[in-house]
């Protein structure tokens, strides 16, 4: 059982920045990944960025160079620094915790990010 609490969403104009935070609590394992997915209206959920327990990162092509994922291991918290935001970044962003062996995913409730043109 893992609980995820997200914060940091909001409304920003094109070119602005936001920083999302996700704090995990509960049965945190040693081999896992945490990250952010997003789902825009009428679209499928997509991976935005992830970071593993050993620090490897993965980004969607659409956010490379603009977003940075990081973590605070001591606090089991991940951050998503979002810069140069575009209207197409508008979505509900969901924090994800993925236990890797075996694979099992936990999800936060989501935080809205809206980017005005």
């Amino acid at each position: 059982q893992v609980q995820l609490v997200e914060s940091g969403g909001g409304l920003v104009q094109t070119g602005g920045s936001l920083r999302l935070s996700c704090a995990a609590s509960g049965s945190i394992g040693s081999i896992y990944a945490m990250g952010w997915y997003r789902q825009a209206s009428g679209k499928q959920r997509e991976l935005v960025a992830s970071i593993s327990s050993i620090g490897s990162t993965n980004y969607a092509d659409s956010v490379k160079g603009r977003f940075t994922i990081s973590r605070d291991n001591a606090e089991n918290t991940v951050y998503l620094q979002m810069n140069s935001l575009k209207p197409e970044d508008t979505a509900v962003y969901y924090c994800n915790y993925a236990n890797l062996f075996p694979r099992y995913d936990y999800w936060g409730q989501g935080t809205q990010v809206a980017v005005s043109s």
Side-chain angles (χ1 to χ4, degrees):
Q1 179 68 38
V2 175
Q3 182 180 2
L4 304 172
V5 179
E6 303 129 316
S7 63
L11 174 65
V12 66
Q13 67 182 24
T14 297
S17 297
L18 287 172
R19 191 189 193 202
L20 305 183
S21 299
C22 176
S25 61
S27 301
I28 306 301
S30 59
I31 303 175
Y32 67 91
M34 293 185 68
W36 295 91
Y37 288 70
R38 67 187 181 189
Q39 187 164 21
S41 296
K43 302 293 185 180
Q44 295 184 343
R45 182 195 298 160
E46 64 174 350
L47 173 69
V48 178
S50 65
I51 185 166
S52 77
S53 50
I54 60 171
S56 59
T57 58
N58 187 37
Y59 294 92
D61 288 342
S62 60
V63 307
K64 287 180 179 177
R66 300 189 297 121
F67 292 8
T68 302
I69 190 167
S70 61
R71 75 184 195 280
D72 181 337
N73 289 338
E75 299 295 330
N76 293 316
T77 301
V78 294
Y79 305 93
L80 185 67
Q81 180 66 46
M82 304 185 294
N83 298 325
S84 301
L85 283 162
K86 305 174 181 179
E88 52 262 45
D89 296 318
T90 296
V92 177
Y93 284 68
Y94 296 93
C95 183
N96 167 263
Y97 173 96
N99 192 71
L100 297 182
F101 300 103
R103 178 64 183 263
Y104 194 84
D105 291 274
Y106 296 86
W107 298 92
Q109 290 187 318
T111 184
Q112 177 71 244
V113 171
V115 184
S116 62
S117 60

